[in-house]
Amino acid sequence: MSAQTAHGSSTEKPIAFVSAQALRERMHTAVNDPHLRSSFRGAMDFLMAKRAAQFPDESELASLRSLSEGIRQYSLARLPDLLEQLEASLTKNGVQVHWAETPAEANAIMLGIAQRHQAKLIVKGKSMVSEEIEFNHAMEAAGVGALESDMGEYIVQLAGEKPSHIIMPAIHQTKQQIAKLFAEHIPGVEYTDNVDALIQIGRRVLREKFEIADIGLSGVNFAVAETGTLCLVENEGNGRMCTTVPKVHIAVTGIEKVVEKLEHVAPLFSILTRSATGQAVSTYFNMISGPRKPGEKDGPEEVHLVLLDNGRTQAYADEQLRKTLQCIRCGACMNHCPVYTRIGGHAYGTTYPGPIGKIVSPHMMGLEETHLLPTVSSLCGACGEVCPVKIPIPELLIRLREEAQSEPHANPAMVGQGAGYNKLASFGWRMWARVYGRPGSYRAFSWLATRFRMFSPSKQGGWTAARTPLTPAPRRLRDMVKDRR
Amino acid sequence: MSARDRILAKLRAGQPAQPLPAPVLGEHFGPRAGTDSPAQRLARFRAGIESFHAEVHITSEAGWPELLASLCADKKIATLLYGADTHAGRRIADAPFAGTTPRAWAGPVEGLKADLFHRIDAGFTQTRGAIAETGTLIVWPSEAEPRTLSLVPPIHFALLDARHIHPTFFDAIHAENWPAGMPTNALLISGPSKTADIQQTLAYGAHGPKELIVLVINAEGEPQ
């Protein structure tokens, strides 16, 4: 696989884990890339307008959001029961259910299935969980091919990159870059930047693979406990190909995706497609309740479901953090995020970028790796306002900042609690609180500050890197008010 | 302890003591079901699915096989694959095709995979019904009409009885009591396959059918 990239060093190589220091550099590079900024700006404006057009009726949106939030919270409150019910229903339907606590366990389970079938090629539908666990690398390391078949994911895989958006993986690539990529990597293909022609090239190449693949892999949008049904939302038909044509279908998903009743998916499906891409409905909604039955002429002979924890139980244990798991992965929070729009999806360095990435990644990777992530936000609140299941993302970002920056203590709610703790900064803020928290000391401090304003430092750390230094005003507000009287 | 037991134990330890009340969906969907007449539902369905680039033809129980044959001739379809062991399949067998060979699906997919991918021009399926709100077909593949019939051939012909158009997906699940018995695969289909993965430019015919053609019967909507 080539490591050719679109935007220079900031996006090279697979990028599951990035240190806090590297994150600062990546953001700096991204924000100074005018090409990347204009392409994300355009794409996000497009997606925001499309979403807005889907919700002309404010009261319908309010009702649907409340209902969707209620369904997700109800499902989470019953999560262990529903997972057991799901397992029982799926088993009854002939689906084999596996459980994995870590990415390594999930990959080992799937590699085991692949080896049992002597699989050479796994063709993949879009699955962010498979990205989260670095599935492709694990399979390739064991000599099993893993090929992405969603057009966006296929492009990103050809480029040796990671998705920069959870719904539109190749949103950072222009058609000219994709044309070049196809011409370089696909034998017999000449350069064309006609989008229809490019899609037809992808269709031709990937259809050959659907036909010969040994295993199809997919994610899951909703898993229905009462009927044992795995639901998949897509437009291209590659998800149906992956789950229908190969002899074996493996679905992999996080443990939070389960709902109790089939009817619960109706509102969630509606708000998902409208929030994500501004579509009233996706082209396909694929409900899989079992492998090929005797008498049926097609469909996989084996269906497996791998349920992954990877930090989700940690979020679950805390009442506030549990709301993170309400997410239905629509991506509206990133489409509306002023930070995401300016730095793009790759700068974050995590599988899930944008606001949702900032609140899920600390559970998956620990705060040691991610303590800076919750600060990559202006707390403008747009993400929380558009979230279809009303996750209070800004509140969770503040909570994660507290977890990251508070002094390490016993029985923390999160792995890596206190990873961003800075003794000096904490001392400074404690002093500030003490001075500002008492009228007498505040008055004395402000009197001194106005008198000695000429001694304000001209270099004020990160603030003066791009701004003029802060200097106290010559007169206090209280003094000016006094003069008026 | 297995991974399963450890995950469930952690979740049980963190589970809220009080369960939340079950969501009430009727309050949201009740008013949305509306009081549309069958004709209005059909109109809404048609406007929706046509906006997703599907082709809709209103025909009749008596006349659809002839229309199908003439559409196949227009589109120069050499081979049309269909399920023989259905009511509609038996009608196709007697339809007046000219230049098109109707081929009944026979045996497991393994025996006709190469033809399915390379030599079949179109597939025909019945539908279970449709959804007016979004312009969506409900397709339940079966022994007679396998899953790939509506997926692999470049053109998909779908036969829809207008009497089975539901206001919303929620209404369809309820009216037909889906949870009582789901098929191995159930599908909602809203147009031919598409993608906007390259620069948000919409392109049809991604991996599934490039064309979806819906033949509507019983459009006058007489009671069942």
Side-chain angles (χ1 to χ4, degrees), chain B residues 90-172:
Chain B
R90 286 180 279 280
R91 301 284 307 280
I92 287 179
D94 301 331
F97 285 101
T100 302
T101 311
R103 174 172 165 185
W105 184 303
V109 69
E110 285 71 22
L112 74 160
K113 208 169 179 181
D115 281 358
L116 188 61
F117 271 87
H118 303 287
R119 284 176 280 281
I120 306 281
D121 306 295
F124 170 92
T125 73
Q126 306 175 106
T127 62
R128 186 181 175 87
I131 298 163
E133 184 184 44
T134 47
T136 299
L137 292 171
I138 300 168
V139 177
W140 281 23
S142 63
E143 287 183 23
E145 294 183 331
R147 307 180 192 202
T148 43
L149 194 49
S150 63
L151 174 65
V152 180
I155 300 177
H156 175 203
F157 288 99
L159 183 68
L160 170 66
D161 186 328
R163 294 172 303 180
H164 302 147
I165 302 177
H166 301 273
T168 68
F169 181 27
F170 175 82
D171 297 308

Side-chain angles (χ1 to χ4, degrees), chain A residues 43 46 60 63-64 67 71 73-74 77-81 83-84 87 99-101 105 149-152 155 168 170-171 173-176 178 195-196 198-200 203 206-207 210-211 226-227 229 235-238 240-241 244-245 247 255 262-267 269 279-300 309 313 316-317 322, chain B residues 2-8 10-12 14-16 18-25 27-29 32 52 105-110 113-114 116-118 133-136 140-144 146-154 169-170 173-174 178-180 182-210:
Chain A
F46 173 79
E60 194 257 343
S63 159
L64 191 57
L67 180 61
I71 291 169
Q73 289 186 341
Y74 170 76
R78 300 198 51 205
L79 186 57
D81 315 304
L83 284 168
E84 284 186 318
E87 182 185 46
W99 303 68
E101 288 185 282
E105 277 178 33
S149 69
D150 172 88
M151 290 292 181
I155 291 162
M168 311 200 89
I171 203 161
Q173 293 260 8
T174 62
K175 62 183 178 184
Q176 290 80 8
I178 295 163
V195 171
D196 278 314
L198 289 169
I199 294 298
Q200 290 313 306
R203 176 185 172 100
L206 290 164
R207 277 203 157 214
F210 293 130
E211 197 182 340
E226 69 170 346
T227 54
T229 302
N235 285 316
E236 296 185 0
N238 66 309
R240 286 185 66 197
M241 287 282 189
T244 307
V245 178
K247 286 204 171 218
I255 50 173
L262 187 63
E263 66 175 29
H264 291 169
V265 304
F269 172 45
Q279 291 178 267
V281 66
S282 59
T283 303
Y284 299 112
F285 189 65
N286 182 2
M287 291 164 270
I288 299 159
S289 303
R292 183 191 307 201
K293 269 190 197 158
E296 290 184 343
K297 311 292 191 302
D298 66 2
D309 177 353
T313 48
Y316 188 80
R322 189 182 306 133
Chain B
S2 65
R4 173 188 186 276
D5 295 343
R6 277 190 299 272
I7 290 171
L8 288 173
K10 280 190 212 167
L11 292 176
R12 292 225 182 277
Q15 197 172 13
Q18 292 297 319
L20 295 173
V24 183
L25 282 77
E27 279 174 23
H28 178 82
F29 287 100
R32 298 188 65 73
F52 306 132
W105 184 303
V109 69
E110 285 71 22
K113 208 169 179 181
L116 188 61
F117 271 87
H118 303 287
E133 184 184 44
T134 47
T136 299
W140 281 23
S142 63
E143 287 183 23
R147 307 180 192 202
T148 43
L149 194 49
S150 63
L151 174 65
V152 180
F169 181 27
F170 175 82
I173 292 170
H174 270 260
W178 288 22
M182 286 292 280
T184 50
N185 190 206
L187 300 160
L188 305 183
I189 300 178
S190 309
S193 95
K194 62 174 179 277
T195 184
D197 272 355
I198 300 181
Q199 265 189 231
Q200 302 94 54
T201 308
L202 195 54
Y204 289 89
H207 294 295
K210 297 177 178 184

Side-chain angles (χ1 to χ4, degrees), chain A residues 233-454:
Chain A
V233 178
E234 59 145 345
N235 285 316
E236 296 185 0
N238 66 309
R240 286 185 66 197
M241 287 282 189
C242 292
T243 60
T244 307
V245 178
K247 286 204 171 218
V248 179
H249 167 211
I250 305 174
V252 58
T253 191
I255 50 173
E256 79 279 19
K257 290 284 179 73
V258 60
V259 295
E260 184 187 22
K261 292 176 182 292
L262 187 63
E263 66 175 29
H264 291 169
V265 304
L268 293 176
F269 172 45
S270 173
I271 206 163
L272 171 61
T273 61
R274 291 155 84 189
S275 301
T277 46
Q279 291 178 267
V281 66
S282 59
T283 303
Y284 299 112
F285 189 65
N286 182 2
M287 291 164 270
I288 299 159
S289 303
R292 183 191 307 201
K293 269 190 197 158
E296 290 184 343
K297 311 292 191 302
D298 66 2
E301 285 161 9
E302 273 181 35
V303 178
H304 298 264
L305 174 68
V306 180
L307 291 164
L308 175 71
D309 177 353
N310 195 26
R312 289 164 175 83
T313 48
Q314 173 182 286
Y316 188 80
D318 182 282
E319 193 185 343
Q320 187 183 28
L321 299 171
R322 189 182 306 133
K323 295 178 201 283
T324 311
L325 304 178
Q326 285 167 218
C327 179
I328 55 172
R329 301 284 191 268
C330 71
C333 57
M334 53 195 75
N335 300 346
H336 291 74
C337 177
V339 176
Y340 177 89
T341 302
R342 282 162 181 81
I343 65 174
H346 283 154
Y348 295 85
T350 46
T351 301
Y352 301 90
I356 182 61
K358 287 182 278 195
I359 62 171
V360 298
S361 307
H363 296 289
M364 294 168 178
M365 296 153 65
L367 280 168
E368 284 290 346
E369 296 277 352
T370 59
H371 63 86
L372 208 57
L373 268 186
T375 68
V376 184
S377 165
S378 64
L379 296 179
C380 75
C383 49
E385 267 175 42
V386 296
C387 177
V389 290
K390 296 197 199 176
I391 302 174
I393 299 175
E395 279 171 39
L396 292 172
L397 288 170
I398 293 169
R399 167 70 190 277
L400 292 169
R401 291 179 185 189
E402 279 169 22
E403 292 290 337
Q405 286 159 31
S406 56
E407 194 172 352
H409 56 75
N411 301 319
M414 297 184 64
V415 172
Q417 182 271 323
Y421 175 67
N422 178 327
K423 215 168 181 175
L424 186 65
S426 287
F427 174 77
W429 286 115
R430 261 206 311 280
M431 287 302 113
W432 177 83
R434 195 169 283 182
V435 170
Y436 273 55
R438 293 175 179 81
S441 58
Y442 174 72
R443 220 171 293 155
F445 175 77
S446 56
W447 187 88
L448 286 167
T450 50
R451 265 40 172 207
F452 295 96
R453 57 192 294 266
M454 69 284 279

